[in-house]
mmCIF file of all heavy atoms in Angstrom:
data_model
loop_
_atom_site.group_PDB
_atom_site.id
_atom_site.type_symbol
_atom_site.label_atom_id
_atom_site.label_comp_id
_atom_site.label_asym_id
_atom_site.label_seq_id
_atom_site.Cartn_x
_atom_site.Cartn_y
_atom_site.Cartn_z
ATOM 1 N N LEU A 81 -55.282 19.346 -20.232
ATOM 2 C CA LEU A 81 -54.174 20.298 -20.099
ATOM 3 C C LEU A 81 -53.420 20.482 -21.412
ATOM 4 O O LEU A 81 -52.409 21.179 -21.448
ATOM 5 C CB LEU A 81 -53.196 19.817 -19.018
ATOM 6 C CG LEU A 81 -53.727 19.792 -17.593
ATOM 7 C CD1 LEU A 81 -52.699 19.145 -16.668
ATOM 8 C CD2 LEU A 81 -54.093 21.171 -17.110
ATOM 9 N N GLY A 82 -53.914 19.816 -22.478
ATOM 10 C CA GLY A 82 -53.257 19.934 -23.778
ATOM 11 C C GLY A 82 -52.301 18.799 -24.079
ATOM 12 O O GLY A 82 -51.597 18.833 -25.093
ATOM 13 N N GLY A 83 -52.271 17.791 -23.218
ATOM 14 C CA GLY A 83 -51.370 16.659 -23.434
ATOM 15 C C GLY A 83 -51.819 15.783 -24.586
ATOM 16 O O GLY A 83 -52.969 15.843 -25.032
ATOM 17 N N LEU A 84 -50.925 14.945 -25.032
ATOM 18 C CA LEU A 84 -51.184 14.067 -26.175
ATOM 19 C C LEU A 84 -51.242 12.591 -25.773
ATOM 20 O O LEU A 84 -51.203 11.718 -26.634
ATOM 21 C CB LEU A 84 -50.098 14.275 -27.240
ATOM 22 C CG LEU A 84 -49.951 15.711 -27.752
ATOM 23 C CD1 LEU A 84 -48.766 15.823 -28.697
ATOM 24 C CD2 LEU A 84 -51.230 16.183 -28.423
ATOM 25 N N HIS A 85 -51.324 12.308 -24.484
ATOM 26 C CA HIS A 85 -51.347 10.929 -24.008
ATOM 27 C C HIS A 85 -52.599 10.205 -24.498
ATOM 28 O O HIS A 85 -53.653 10.814 -24.666
ATOM 29 C CB HIS A 85 -51.318 10.891 -22.478
ATOM 30 C CG HIS A 85 -50.101 11.510 -21.902
ATOM 31 N ND1 HIS A 85 -49.941 12.874 -21.764
ATOM 32 C CD2 HIS A 85 -48.960 10.965 -21.436
ATOM 33 C CE1 HIS A 85 -48.775 13.130 -21.233
ATOM 34 N NE2 HIS A 85 -48.156 11.984 -21.022
ATOM 35 N N THR A 86 -52.458 8.894 -24.680
ATOM 36 C CA THR A 86 -53.597 8.056 -25.058
ATOM 37 C C THR A 86 -53.688 6.885 -24.102
ATOM 38 O O THR A 86 -52.734 6.583 -23.372
ATOM 39 C CB THR A 86 -53.440 7.508 -26.491
ATOM 40 O OG1 THR A 86 -52.342 6.571 -26.510
ATOM 41 C CG2 THR A 86 -53.194 8.626 -27.506
ATOM 42 N N LEU A 87 -54.830 6.206 -24.134
ATOM 43 C CA LEU A 87 -54.977 4.998 -23.319
ATOM 44 C C LEU A 87 -53.985 3.928 -23.753
ATOM 45 O O LEU A 87 -53.493 3.158 -22.915
ATOM 46 C CB LEU A 87 -56.412 4.482 -23.389
ATOM 47 C CG LEU A 87 -57.437 5.348 -22.655
ATOM 48 C CD1 LEU A 87 -58.848 4.850 -22.924
ATOM 49 C CD2 LEU A 87 -57.146 5.379 -21.165
ATOM 50 N N ASP A 88 -53.670 3.876 -25.041
ATOM 51 C CA ASP A 88 -52.670 2.918 -25.514
ATOM 52 C C ASP A 88 -51.291 3.205 -24.915
ATOM 53 O O ASP A 88 -50.534 2.271 -24.638
ATOM 54 C CB ASP A 88 -52.570 2.931 -27.042
ATOM 55 C CG ASP A 88 -53.734 2.210 -27.711
ATOM 56 O OD1 ASP A 88 -54.430 1.417 -27.020
ATOM 57 O OD2 ASP A 88 -53.959 2.442 -28.905
ATOM 58 N N ASP A 89 -50.965 4.481 -24.728
ATOM 59 C CA ASP A 89 -49.683 4.816 -24.094
ATOM 60 C C ASP A 89 -49.586 4.157 -22.724
ATOM 61 O O ASP A 89 -48.545 3.606 -22.359
ATOM 62 C CB ASP A 89 -49.523 6.332 -23.931
ATOM 63 C CG ASP A 89 -49.378 7.071 -25.241
ATOM 64 O OD1 ASP A 89 -48.882 6.470 -26.214
ATOM 65 O OD2 ASP A 89 -49.768 8.253 -25.286
ATOM 66 N N PHE A 90 -50.673 4.221 -21.980
ATOM 67 C CA PHE A 90 -50.674 3.628 -20.641
ATOM 68 C C PHE A 90 -50.674 2.106 -20.722
ATOM 69 O O PHE A 90 -49.921 1.439 -20.023
ATOM 70 C CB PHE A 90 -51.876 4.132 -19.837
ATOM 71 C CG PHE A 90 -51.630 5.449 -19.173
ATOM 72 C CD1 PHE A 90 -51.458 6.600 -19.905
ATOM 73 C CD2 PHE A 90 -51.544 5.526 -17.801
ATOM 74 C CE1 PHE A 90 -51.220 7.810 -19.301
ATOM 75 C CE2 PHE A 90 -51.300 6.738 -17.172
ATOM 76 C CZ PHE A 90 -51.134 7.878 -17.924
ATOM 77 N N ALA A 91 -51.536 1.537 -21.563
ATOM 78 C CA ALA A 91 -51.661 0.088 -21.662
ATOM 79 C C ALA A 91 -50.355 -0.568 -22.106
ATOM 80 O O ALA A 91 -50.078 -1.715 -21.735
ATOM 81 C CB ALA A 91 -52.786 -0.271 -22.638
ATOM 82 N N ASN A 92 -49.544 0.150 -22.888
ATOM 83 C CA ASN A 92 -48.318 -0.430 -23.429
ATOM 84 C C ASN A 92 -47.086 -0.218 -22.551
ATOM 85 O O ASN A 92 -45.983 -0.611 -22.939
ATOM 86 C CB ASN A 92 -48.054 0.129 -24.833
ATOM 87 C CG ASN A 92 -49.102 -0.340 -25.818
ATOM 88 O OD1 ASN A 92 -49.611 -1.457 -25.716
ATOM 89 N ND2 ASN A 92 -49.459 0.516 -26.761
ATOM 90 N N VAL A 93 -47.251 0.387 -21.381
ATOM 91 C CA VAL A 93 -46.115 0.592 -20.486
ATOM 92 C C VAL A 93 -45.599 -0.766 -20.016
ATOM 93 O O VAL A 93 -46.371 -1.639 -19.618
ATOM 94 C CB VAL A 93 -46.518 1.454 -19.265
ATOM 95 C CG1 VAL A 93 -45.442 1.407 -18.186
ATOM 96 C CG2 VAL A 93 -46.774 2.881 -19.690
ATOM 97 N N LYS A 94 -44.278 -0.906 -20.081
ATOM 98 C CA LYS A 94 -43.638 -2.134 -19.601
ATOM 99 C C LYS A 94 -42.467 -1.748 -18.721
ATOM 100 O O LYS A 94 -41.673 -0.877 -19.076
ATOM 101 C CB LYS A 94 -43.140 -2.976 -20.771
ATOM 102 C CG LYS A 94 -44.256 -3.551 -21.600
ATOM 103 C CD LYS A 94 -43.722 -4.454 -22.680
ATOM 104 C CE LYS A 94 -44.927 -5.022 -23.410
ATOM 105 N NZ LYS A 94 -44.749 -5.096 -24.823
ATOM 106 N N GLY A 95 -42.384 -2.389 -17.599
ATOM 107 C CA GLY A 95 -41.253 -2.159 -16.713
ATOM 108 C C GLY A 95 -40.022 -2.867 -17.221
ATOM 109 O O GLY A 95 -40.117 -3.855 -17.952
ATOM 110 N N GLU A 96 -38.885 -2.354 -16.866
ATOM 111 C CA GLU A 96 -37.622 -2.975 -17.224
ATOM 112 C C GLU A 96 -36.875 -3.311 -15.946
ATOM 113 O O GLU A 96 -36.802 -2.487 -15.035
ATOM 114 C CB GLU A 96 -36.768 -2.028 -18.063
ATOM 115 C CG GLU A 96 -37.345 -1.701 -19.416
ATOM 116 C CD GLU A 96 -36.441 -0.763 -20.202
ATOM 117 O OE1 GLU A 96 -35.231 -0.693 -19.903
ATOM 118 O OE2 GLU A 96 -36.965 -0.114 -21.112
ATOM 119 N N TYR A 97 -36.361 -4.509 -15.891
ATOM 120 C CA TYR A 97 -35.563 -4.897 -14.751
ATOM 121 C C TYR A 97 -34.098 -4.651 -15.087
ATOM 122 O O TYR A 97 -33.646 -4.943 -16.190
ATOM 123 C CB TYR A 97 -35.798 -6.370 -14.400
ATOM 124 C CG TYR A 97 -37.183 -6.592 -13.857
ATOM 125 C CD1 TYR A 97 -38.232 -6.965 -14.685
ATOM 126 C CD2 TYR A 97 -37.449 -6.382 -12.510
ATOM 127 C CE1 TYR A 97 -39.507 -7.138 -14.185
ATOM 128 C CE2 TYR A 97 -38.724 -6.549 -12.002
ATOM 129 C CZ TYR A 97 -39.742 -6.928 -12.847
ATOM 130 O OH TYR A 97 -41.000 -7.090 -12.346
ATOM 131 N N ALA A 98 -33.382 -4.088 -14.151
ATOM 132 C CA ALA A 98 -31.973 -3.784 -14.369
ATOM 133 C C ALA A 98 -31.194 -4.134 -13.111
ATOM 134 O O ALA A 98 -31.718 -4.029 -11.989
ATOM 135 C CB ALA A 98 -31.802 -2.301 -14.693
ATOM 136 N N ALA A 99 -29.981 -4.530 -13.313
ATOM 137 C CA ALA A 99 -29.119 -4.836 -12.166
ATOM 138 C C ALA A 99 -28.818 -3.544 -11.419
ATOM 139 O O ALA A 99 -28.477 -2.531 -12.037
ATOM 140 C CB ALA A 99 -27.830 -5.481 -12.649
ATOM 141 N N PRO A 100 -28.931 -3.556 -10.097
ATOM 142 C CA PRO A 100 -28.642 -2.341 -9.331
ATOM 143 C C PRO A 100 -27.143 -2.036 -9.337
ATOM 144 O O PRO A 100 -26.320 -2.882 -9.657
ATOM 145 C CB PRO A 100 -29.126 -2.688 -7.923
ATOM 146 C CG PRO A 100 -29.056 -4.175 -7.859
ATOM 147 C CD PRO A 100 -29.318 -4.676 -9.251
ATOM 148 N N ILE A 101 -26.830 -0.798 -8.992
ATOM 149 C CA ILE A 101 -25.436 -0.396 -8.806
ATOM 150 C C ILE A 101 -25.244 -0.116 -7.325
ATOM 151 O O ILE A 101 -26.217 0.143 -6.600
ATOM 152 C CB ILE A 101 -25.069 0.827 -9.673
ATOM 153 C CG1 ILE A 101 -25.985 2.013 -9.375
ATOM 154 C CG2 ILE A 101 -25.116 0.455 -11.153
ATOM 155 C CD1 ILE A 101 -25.612 3.303 -10.113
ATOM 156 N N MET A 102 -24.009 -0.176 -6.861
ATOM 157 C CA MET A 102 -23.793 0.016 -5.428
ATOM 158 C C MET A 102 -22.390 0.516 -5.142
ATOM 159 O O MET A 102 -21.500 0.449 -5.984
ATOM 160 C CB MET A 102 -24.046 -1.276 -4.670
ATOM 161 C CG MET A 102 -23.047 -2.384 -4.988
ATOM 162 S SD MET A 102 -23.195 -3.791 -3.894
ATOM 163 C CE MET A 102 -22.287 -3.206 -2.495
ATOM 164 N N CYS A 103 -22.246 1.034 -3.923
ATOM 165 C CA CYS A 103 -20.928 1.347 -3.393
ATOM 166 C C CYS A 103 -20.962 1.079 -1.895
ATOM 167 O O CYS A 103 -22.034 0.934 -1.294
ATOM 168 C CB CYS A 103 -20.505 2.790 -3.705
ATOM 169 S SG CYS A 103 -21.290 4.055 -2.682
ATOM 170 N N ARG A 104 -19.797 0.971 -1.306
ATOM 171 C CA ARG A 104 -19.689 0.814 0.144
ATOM 172 C C ARG A 104 -19.536 2.207 0.738
ATOM 173 O O ARG A 104 -18.779 3.033 0.226
ATOM 174 C CB ARG A 104 -18.475 -0.020 0.521
ATOM 175 C CG ARG A 104 -18.495 -1.431 0.039
ATOM 176 C CD ARG A 104 -19.220 -2.416 0.895
ATOM 177 N NE ARG A 104 -18.690 -2.549 2.246
ATOM 178 C CZ ARG A 104 -19.400 -3.039 3.255
ATOM 179 N NH1 ARG A 104 -20.633 -3.420 3.067
ATOM 180 N NH2 ARG A 104 -18.886 -3.148 4.451
ATOM 181 N N TYR A 105 -20.268 2.454 1.819
ATOM 182 C CA TYR A 105 -20.133 3.728 2.519
ATOM 183 C C TYR A 105 -20.134 3.443 4.013
ATOM 184 O O TYR A 105 -21.148 3.010 4.568
ATOM 185 C CB TYR A 105 -21.264 4.691 2.155
ATOM 186 C CG TYR A 105 -21.139 6.030 2.853
ATOM 187 C CD1 TYR A 105 -20.189 6.952 2.439
ATOM 188 C CD2 TYR A 105 -21.952 6.348 3.927
ATOM 189 C CE1 TYR A 105 -20.051 8.171 3.083
ATOM 190 C CE2 TYR A 105 -21.830 7.572 4.570
ATOM 191 C CZ TYR A 105 -20.873 8.476 4.154
ATOM 192 O OH TYR A 105 -20.736 9.677 4.792
ATOM 193 N N ARG A 106 -18.994 3.637 4.619
ATOM 194 C CA ARG A 106 -18.823 3.471 6.061
ATOM 195 C C ARG A 106 -19.371 2.132 6.557
ATOM 196 O O ARG A 106 -20.113 2.060 7.535
ATOM 197 C CB ARG A 106 -19.440 4.641 6.800
ATOM 198 C CG ARG A 106 -18.888 5.988 6.311
ATOM 199 C CD ARG A 106 -19.102 7.098 7.288
ATOM 200 N NE ARG A 106 -18.784 8.378 6.718
ATOM 201 C CZ ARG A 106 -17.545 8.876 6.575
ATOM 202 N NH1 ARG A 106 -16.502 8.182 6.918
ATOM 203 N NH2 ARG A 106 -17.375 10.085 6.056
ATOM 204 N N GLY A 107 -19.023 1.069 5.827
ATOM 205 C CA GLY A 107 -19.399 -0.274 6.229
ATOM 206 C C GLY A 107 -20.756 -0.750 5.733
ATOM 207 O O GLY A 107 -21.163 -1.865 6.024
ATOM 208 N N PHE A 108 -21.460 0.080 4.994
ATOM 209 C CA PHE A 108 -22.776 -0.283 4.470
ATOM 210 C C PHE A 108 -22.718 -0.397 2.949
ATOM 211 O O PHE A 108 -22.020 0.376 2.292
ATOM 212 C CB PHE A 108 -23.837 0.767 4.843
ATOM 213 C CG PHE A 108 -24.111 0.837 6.303
ATOM 214 C CD1 PHE A 108 -23.432 1.750 7.108
ATOM 215 C CD2 PHE A 108 -25.042 -0.005 6.898
ATOM 216 C CE1 PHE A 108 -23.679 1.821 8.468
ATOM 217 C CE2 PHE A 108 -25.297 0.059 8.249
ATOM 218 C CZ PHE A 108 -24.611 0.971 9.042
ATOM 219 N N ASP A 109 -23.479 -1.338 2.409
ATOM 220 C CA ASP A 109 -23.688 -1.397 0.967
ATOM 221 C C ASP A 109 -24.858 -0.481 0.650
ATOM 222 O O ASP A 109 -25.965 -0.685 1.156
ATOM 223 C CB ASP A 109 -24.046 -2.819 0.514
ATOM 224 C CG ASP A 109 -22.869 -3.772 0.618
ATOM 225 O OD1 ASP A 109 -21.712 -3.316 0.522
ATOM 226 O OD2 ASP A 109 -23.107 -4.981 0.792
ATOM 227 N N VAL A 110 -24.622 0.522 -0.165
ATOM 228 C CA VAL A 110 -25.676 1.439 -0.589
ATOM 229 C C VAL A 110 -26.034 1.050 -2.020
ATOM 230 O O VAL A 110 -25.179 1.073 -2.903
ATOM 231 C CB VAL A 110 -25.232 2.911 -0.514
ATOM 232 C CG1 VAL A 110 -26.371 3.840 -0.914
ATOM 233 C CG2 VAL A 110 -24.730 3.244 0.894
ATOM 234 N N VAL A 111 -27.293 0.675 -2.234
ATOM 235 C CA VAL A 111 -27.735 0.130 -3.508
ATOM 236 C C VAL A 111 -28.736 1.098 -4.142
ATOM 237 O O VAL A 111 -29.643 1.587 -3.474
ATOM 238 C CB VAL A 111 -28.382 -1.260 -3.300
ATOM 239 C CG1 VAL A 111 -28.835 -1.846 -4.624
ATOM 240 C CG2 VAL A 111 -27.413 -2.195 -2.582
ATOM 241 N N MET A 112 -28.546 1.356 -5.435
ATOM 242 C CA MET A 112 -29.408 2.289 -6.165
ATOM 243 C C MET A 112 -29.741 1.695 -7.530
ATOM 244 O O MET A 112 -29.013 0.842 -8.029
ATOM 245 C CB MET A 112 -28.687 3.628 -6.363
ATOM 246 C CG MET A 112 -28.281 4.337 -5.083
ATOM 247 S SD MET A 112 -29.666 4.859 -4.083
ATOM 248 C CE MET A 112 -30.232 6.270 -4.978
ATOM 249 N N PRO A 113 -30.806 2.202 -8.161
ATOM 250 C CA PRO A 113 -31.066 1.786 -9.541
ATOM 251 C C PRO A 113 -30.022 2.410 -10.468
ATOM 252 O O PRO A 113 -29.508 3.493 -10.192
ATOM 253 C CB PRO A 113 -32.470 2.333 -9.833
ATOM 254 C CG PRO A 113 -32.676 3.420 -8.843
ATOM 255 C CD PRO A 113 -31.834 3.105 -7.645
ATOM 256 N N PRO A 114 -29.708 1.728 -11.561
ATOM 257 C CA PRO A 114 -28.675 2.242 -12.466
ATOM 258 C C PRO A 114 -29.195 3.389 -13.314
ATOM 259 O O PRO A 114 -30.403 3.641 -13.364
ATOM 260 C CB PRO A 114 -28.376 1.023 -13.346
ATOM 261 C CG PRO A 114 -29.676 0.288 -13.401
ATOM 262 C CD PRO A 114 -30.285 0.467 -12.036
ATOM 263 N N PRO A 115 -28.285 4.086 -14.014
ATOM 264 C CA PRO A 115 -28.729 5.109 -14.962
ATOM 265 C C PRO A 115 -29.703 4.492 -15.961
ATOM 266 O O PRO A 115 -29.567 3.312 -16.274
ATOM 267 C CB PRO A 115 -27.431 5.541 -15.652
ATOM 268 C CG PRO A 115 -26.365 5.240 -14.634
ATOM 269 C CD PRO A 115 -26.836 3.995 -13.954
ATOM 270 N N PRO A 116 -30.687 5.277 -16.359
ATOM 271 C CA PRO A 116 -30.738 6.726 -16.336
ATOM 272 C C PRO A 116 -31.254 7.321 -15.033
ATOM 273 O O PRO A 116 -31.457 8.522 -14.965
ATOM 274 C CB PRO A 116 -31.678 7.060 -17.494
ATOM 275 C CG PRO A 116 -32.611 5.912 -17.567
ATOM 276 C CD PRO A 116 -31.782 4.714 -17.170
ATOM 277 N N SER A 117 -31.479 6.516 -13.982
ATOM 278 C CA SER A 117 -31.873 7.128 -12.706
ATOM 279 C C SER A 117 -30.714 7.980 -12.203
ATOM 280 O O SER A 117 -29.582 7.875 -12.686
ATOM 281 C CB SER A 117 -32.206 6.054 -11.664
ATOM 282 O OG SER A 117 -31.025 5.627 -10.994
ATOM 283 N N LEU A 118 -30.986 8.798 -11.215
ATOM 284 C CA LEU A 118 -29.941 9.649 -10.645
ATOM 285 C C LEU A 118 -29.243 8.984 -9.465
ATOM 286 O O LEU A 118 -28.480 9.622 -8.756
ATOM 287 C CB LEU A 118 -30.539 10.993 -10.233
ATOM 288 C CG LEU A 118 -31.123 11.815 -11.385
ATOM 289 C CD1 LEU A 118 -31.685 13.127 -10.860
ATOM 290 C CD2 LEU A 118 -30.098 12.070 -12.461
ATOM 291 N N GLY A 119 -29.503 7.686 -9.274
ATOM 292 C CA GLY A 119 -28.873 6.969 -8.173
ATOM 293 C C GLY A 119 -27.362 7.035 -8.206
ATOM 294 O O GLY A 119 -26.704 7.059 -7.161
ATOM 295 N N ILE A 120 -26.788 7.086 -9.397
ATOM 296 C CA ILE A 120 -25.327 7.139 -9.500
ATOM 297 C C ILE A 120 -24.790 8.420 -8.867
ATOM 298 O O ILE A 120 -23.682 8.431 -8.321
ATOM 299 C CB ILE A 120 -24.858 6.980 -10.959
ATOM 300 C CG1 ILE A 120 -23.353 6.694 -10.966
ATOM 301 C CG2 ILE A 120 -25.227 8.191 -11.808
ATOM 302 C CD1 ILE A 120 -22.826 6.152 -12.268
ATOM 303 N N ILE A 121 -25.573 9.482 -8.875
ATOM 304 C CA ILE A 121 -25.134 10.736 -8.248
ATOM 305 C C ILE A 121 -25.016 10.555 -6.741
ATOM 306 O O ILE A 121 -24.042 10.992 -6.126
ATOM 307 C CB ILE A 121 -26.078 11.895 -8.616
ATOM 308 C CG1 ILE A 121 -25.918 12.211 -10.099
ATOM 309 C CG2 ILE A 121 -25.821 13.129 -7.761
ATOM 310 C CD1 ILE A 121 -26.920 13.190 -10.643
ATOM 311 N N THR A 122 -25.993 9.888 -6.153
ATOM 312 C CA THR A 122 -25.927 9.601 -4.717
ATOM 313 C C THR A 122 -24.681 8.793 -4.396
ATOM 314 O O THR A 122 -23.935 9.114 -3.459
ATOM 315 C CB THR A 122 -27.182 8.833 -4.268
ATOM 316 O OG1 THR A 122 -28.329 9.630 -4.540
ATOM 317 C CG2 THR A 122 -27.126 8.472 -2.799
ATOM 318 N N LEU A 123 -24.435 7.747 -5.181
ATOM 319 C CA LEU A 123 -23.289 6.883 -4.913
ATOM 320 C C LEU A 123 -21.962 7.604 -5.133
ATOM 321 O O LEU A 123 -21.021 7.441 -4.346
ATOM 322 C CB LEU A 123 -23.369 5.630 -5.786
ATOM 323 C CG LEU A 123 -24.602 4.748 -5.557
ATOM 324 C CD1 LEU A 123 -24.563 3.530 -6.478
ATOM 325 C CD2 LEU A 123 -24.734 4.326 -4.103
ATOM 326 N N MET A 124 -21.866 8.418 -6.165
ATOM 327 C CA MET A 124 -20.636 9.181 -6.403
ATOM 328 C C MET A 124 -20.404 10.180 -5.271
ATOM 329 O O MET A 124 -19.266 10.382 -4.830
ATOM 330 C CB MET A 124 -20.709 9.893 -7.759
ATOM 331 C CG MET A 124 -20.601 8.925 -8.927
ATOM 332 S SD MET A 124 -20.921 9.587 -10.593
ATOM 333 C CE MET A 124 -20.430 11.253 -10.535
ATOM 334 N N THR A 125 -21.471 10.788 -4.788
ATOM 335 C CA THR A 125 -21.357 11.734 -3.671
ATOM 336 C C THR A 125 -20.844 11.020 -2.424
ATOM 337 O O THR A 125 -19.913 11.491 -1.753
ATOM 338 C CB THR A 125 -22.705 12.411 -3.397
ATOM 339 O OG1 THR A 125 -23.146 13.095 -4.576
ATOM 340 C CG2 THR A 125 -22.624 13.385 -2.234
ATOM 341 N N LEU A 126 -21.426 9.867 -2.124
ATOM 342 C CA LEU A 126 -20.982 9.100 -0.954
ATOM 343 C C LEU A 126 -19.543 8.628 -1.112
ATOM 344 O O LEU A 126 -18.779 8.586 -0.146
ATOM 345 C CB LEU A 126 -21.914 7.912 -0.713
ATOM 346 C CG LEU A 126 -23.329 8.263 -0.269
ATOM 347 C CD1 LEU A 126 -24.183 7.001 -0.186
ATOM 348 C CD2 LEU A 126 -23.325 9.012 1.056
#
Side-chain angles (χ1 to χ4, degrees):
L81 294 174
L84 303 175
H85 299 80
T86 68
L87 289 173
D88 284 342
D89 292 332
F90 276 67
N92 293 326
V93 167
K94 292 184 178 140
E96 294 180 22
Y97 291 93
I101 57 175
M102 66 170 279
C103 76
R104 297 275 300 159
Y105 181 74
R106 305 200 190 281
F108 294 94
D109 290 332
V110 182
V111 181
M112 300 295 284
S117 86
L118 298 180
I120 194 164
I121 291 172
T122 300
L123 299 180
M124 289 171 30
T125 301
L126 292 175

